[in-house]
Amino acid sequence: MVIIMLGAQGTGKGTIAGLISEEMKWPQISTGDIFRKNISEKTELGIEAEKYIARGELVPDEITVPMVINRLNQKDAQEGSILDGFPRTTQQAKKLDEILEKLGKKVDLVINLSTPKEELIDRMLTRRVCSNQECKATYNTKLHPPKVEGICDKCGATLKQREDDSNSEAINRRLEIYEEQTSPLVEYYEAKGVLRTEVVSTSINRMGKDVARVIIEDIKKN
């Protein structure tokens, strides 16, 4: 089963994908994690990707698509996979359809997350992530703080703020890009009959863990 997470940055895609991955034992394939790993290791790919990410821009397809193809071909992704952060444009979605067709697969479910913009900006500014690439746990200093400030509950590693989360101008630009280029994916997948929209917001007391629980129950039923 192939699942795609849609939604602007800060809606909780990573959190929900992580919970589904943990329960179903399917890998969470995040291009963001791959980019950050390469950036920290100063690889050629990482150096190029960092230039775009620092400006709040999307990383070009010629860098992103080959990585996704390689990841989908790995053994642990054969039974199921959760794509978090890809595709981000209809062009990428069409390329993904072509890739999956060659692998004898298709997109089975697209989870579209919606959160008010003001809430998104605040979430990203207060988001912290585990510095341990093997853990990748995510926290929020307001909504989901760690038990010990600055320390990951799961592995004890230091928490850090992503570089692209520390600049409000870059965050606004990322949200603008999402509206311009990524939101049309909602229409693309709705037309295919695989879209499921969920609102995640403190205003209705419905957070990522609540959405994940319902989706996992539905997946198991099917």
Side-chain angles (χ1 to χ4, degrees):
M1 183 175 193
V2 177
I3 297 175
I4 290 174
M5 302 298 304
L6 282 187
Q9 297 89 338
T11 53
K13 296 191 299 295
T15 297
I16 294 173
L19 291 170
I20 297 174
S21 174
E22 183 178 352
E23 181 68 26
M24 304 305 299
K25 310 304 179 187
W26 297 337
Q28 176 185 353
I29 301 173
S30 169
T31 51
D33 287 340
I34 296 173
F35 292 150
R36 283 185 286 275
K37 185 175 186 295
N38 280 271
I39 289 172
S40 66
E41 294 176 354
K42 303 295 183 181
T43 65
E44 183 177 349
L45 171 65
I47 292 172
E48 289 302 311
E50 186 174 27
K51 295 176 183 177
Y52 293 92
I53 293 172
R55 294 196 297 265
E57 299 176 3
L58 294 178
V59 179
D61 290 356
E62 55 265 29
I63 296 176
T64 306
V65 175
M67 294 192 309
V68 175
I69 295 174
N70 292 336
R71 187 65 185 89
L72 288 172
N73 278 324
Q74 292 180 16
K75 186 177 180 179
D76 66 339
Q78 298 311 301
E79 294 298 320
S81 56
I82 307 162
L83 290 172
D84 174 13
F86 183 92
R88 290 190 174 181
T89 66
T90 51
Q91 181 178 353
Q92 288 182 346
K94 292 175 181 177
K95 289 184 179 180
L96 177 61
D97 285 341
E98 295 174 2
I99 294 168
L100 292 175
E101 185 176 3
K102 292 178 181 178
L103 296 174
K105 301 180 179 181
K106 63 181 178 64
V107 174
D108 299 286
L109 174 64
V110 177
I111 303 170
N112 176 46
L113 305 178
S114 176
T115 301
K117 184 177 179 180
E118 296 76 14
E119 193 173 331
L120 288 179
I121 294 174
D122 185 63
R123 281 190 193 182
M124 283 186 274
L125 289 172
T126 55
R127 179 166 56 183
R128 300 293 183 271
V129 297
C130 182
S131 57
N132 177 6
Q133 286 294 320
E134 299 300 319
C135 177
K136 301 182 298 185
T138 302
Y139 300 86
N140 186 286
T141 57
K142 291 183 178 179
L143 301 175
H144 175 46
K147 295 177 182 178
V148 179
E149 185 177 354
I151 302 298
C152 177
D153 294 347
K154 295 183 177 181
C155 71
T158 302
L159 299 181
K160 65 178 182 179
Q161 184 178 40
R162 294 175 183 170
E163 183 177 350
D164 54 334
D165 279 349
S166 61
N167 186 316
S168 59
E169 290 184 6
I171 291 174
N172 271 299
R173 179 55 182 154
R174 283 155 61 191
L175 293 176
E176 288 174 3
I177 290 175
Y178 176 78
E179 291 299 325
E180 295 168 2
Q181 300 184 10
T182 314
S183 58
L185 283 172
V186 172
E187 296 181 8
Y188 180 83
Y189 286 116
E190 188 171 29
K192 288 180 172 291
V194 294
L195 186 76
R196 173 174 180 160
T197 297
E198 297 281 356
V199 176
V200 181
S201 174
T202 55
S203 65
I204 59 172
N205 196 30
R206 185 171 173 79
M207 305 308 293
K209 62 181 180 180
D210 304 310
V211 172
R213 183 175 61 252
V214 175
I215 291 174
I216 289 170
E217 290 176 357
D218 290 345
I219 290 174
K220 289 183 175 180
K221 288 178 183 177
N222 297 326

